[in-house]
Amino acid sequence: MYDLIIIGGGPAGITAAATAINQRLETLIIAERWGGQTTYAMQLEDMEGRETITGETLLDAFRRQLDYLDFVRDFDTVTKVMPVEKNFVVDTVRGDRYEGRTLIMATGAKPQRLNVPGEARLAGRGLSYSATTHAGLFLGKDVAVVGKGRRAQWATAGLARKAHQVYLMAPEPLPDTPLVHKLRQRSNVEISEGVVVKEVGGERFVENIVVTMPGGEECAVPVKGVFVKLPRTPNSDLVREWINCDGDGHIIVDVNCATNWPGVFAAGDVTHVSEQALVHIGEGAKAAISAYHYLLMH
Ligand SMILES: Cc1cc2nc3c(=O)[nH]c(=O)nc-3n(C[C@H](O)[C@H](O)[C@H](O)COP(=O)(O)OP(=O)(O)OC[C@H]3O[C@@H](n4cnc5c(N)ncnc54)[C@H](O)[C@@H]3O)c2cc1C
């Protein structure tokens, strides 16, 4: 019987495991692989002297703490999680079954890609999935944001404070919210609704985004950056039947990363907390400390 089972080996899961081990909890972390979605850096033509810290670099110190403790980790896929009395039983693809007194869900979310020519080739060369991390590299430049939901709106608002011009390319009409209203009033934000992205163009770095406008005309909009902010699917299926989730499937947690189910905590992109590796490193540590406090009291 483990004190704590953590599912997921991204920023949230890795820091949760390192924190739990420091508290001397009998810990098991189960993940398909280390690192989750933290693996690329941004390079731009004129970026000399300006660098972003990659998720990998941030995580490295925590991961190294786990690397030599092979008894705390299992690289496998979890297929089932069940509450059994006050504990939790976890089954994996390879047929292992583990039991824990507490559980941290750190399973992340599935990103939605554009799936157009140029996307994979120019990722990290002007094409980004994180405005929080990369907006500062586009000071005074023209950029495009693709998406329509809350994440796309936040990215547009953030970029409008730094970039010269922001084109928000929404696949469908935007909802009527106070933030969308504000965006419509900004002089350096141009919103197009009902747009289909055909290609991200550029030889070594992003040079344009090719779109079909609602009227049917195709155009190449010159930009130095493209931010993909399409909806993502939280990996919460394992617990969705018995843990409270929001309408999009994010696990609902309180400020201590506790779910509605005693002994179950969640951290990272699987929750509704906004996504950034740096934030989830802290969320994972917080979830582990909450699990530790729970064990002290039960
Ligand atoms: C393409 C892309 C680029 C990004 N760029 C940046 C960036 O530049 N800067 C930044 O701060 N953020 C960036 N983000 C966001 C950031 O990577 C995420 O917010 C962060 O990785 C979330 O951490 P996490 O631990 O919650 O989940 P993840 O990193 O997604 O990790 C989830 C883990 O759970 C495991 N898992 C899931 N289901 C199971 C299962 N059933 N059994 C076993 N294991 C399972 C996975 O294998 C993985 O190890 C980017 C995201 C994407 C998709």
Side-chain angles (χ1 to χ4, degrees), residues 15-132:
T15 49
T19 308
I21 289 160
N22 283 342
Q23 300 296 337
R24 297 288 181 270
L25 298 187
E26 289 289 330
T27 304
L28 176 69
I29 176 167
I30 311 172
E32 287 152 346
R33 60 186 174 280
W34 273 164
Q37 298 170 1
T38 53
T39 43
Y40 80 93
M42 181 63 74
Q43 289 180 326
L44 296 175
E45 239 166 342
D46 54 354
M47 212 179 97
E48 236 168 89
R50 284 196 288 161
E51 259 189 49
T52 52
I53 305 168
T54 65
E56 242 183 334
T57 313
L58 278 173
L59 266 187
D60 211 39
F62 298 102
R63 188 164 40 198
R64 273 189 274 122
Q65 288 188 36
L66 305 181
D67 272 343
Y68 70 98
L69 299 175
D70 55 4
F71 55 92
V72 305
R73 62 171 186 260
D74 181 15
F75 288 117
D76 204 345
T77 301
V78 172
T79 52
K80 202 167 176 188
V81 182
M82 289 161 294
V84 177
E85 295 175 2
K86 287 186 176 166
N87 303 321
F88 306 95
V89 170
V90 175
D91 290 341
T92 70
V93 159
R94 282 203 223 109
D96 289 318
R97 171 165 280 202
Y98 300 106
E99 204 171 340
R101 294 170 62 203
T102 57
L103 180 75
I104 294 178
M105 289 292 295
T107 41
K110 277 184 211 70
Q112 200 187 123
R113 312 274 168 161
L114 283 173
N115 289 323
V116 296
E119 180 181 28
R121 190 170 52 82
L122 295 168
R125 294 183 158 268
L127 187 140
S128 167
Y129 298 87
S130 177
T132 319

Side-chain angles (χ1 to χ4, degrees), residues 211-263:
V211 293
T212 306
M213 289 306 203
E217 73 279 25
E218 193 167 296
C219 54
V221 181
V223 286
K224 294 284 184 197
V226 170
F227 289 81
V228 181
K229 302 304 284 180
L230 296 167
R232 300 176 321 158
T233 314
N235 297 318
S236 58
D237 293 358
L238 291 167
V239 296
R240 221 178 274 188
E241 278 178 19
W242 47 283
I243 300 270
N244 287 347
C245 294
D246 69 14
D248 295 324
H250 297 103
I251 296 177
I252 297 170
V253 288
D254 68 11
V255 287
N256 297 315
C257 297
T259 70
N260 62 303
W261 197 282

Side-chain angles (χ1 to χ4, degrees), residues 147-148 168-176 180 184 190-196 212-215:
K148 79 159 219 216
L168 173 54
M169 310 281 191
E172 287 159 31
L174 294 173
D176 189 16
V180 170
R184 289 193 196 281
E190 191 177 315
I191 298 175
S192 305
E193 291 157 282
V195 168
V196 180
T212 306
M213 289 306 203

Side-chain angles (χ1 to χ4, degrees), residues 118 121-122 125 199-209:
R121 190 170 52 82
L122 295 168
R125 294 183 158 268
E199 186 178 349
V200 180
E203 210 165 295
R204 291 185 55 230
F205 300 98
V206 168
E207 290 168 23
N208 58 51
I209 180 166

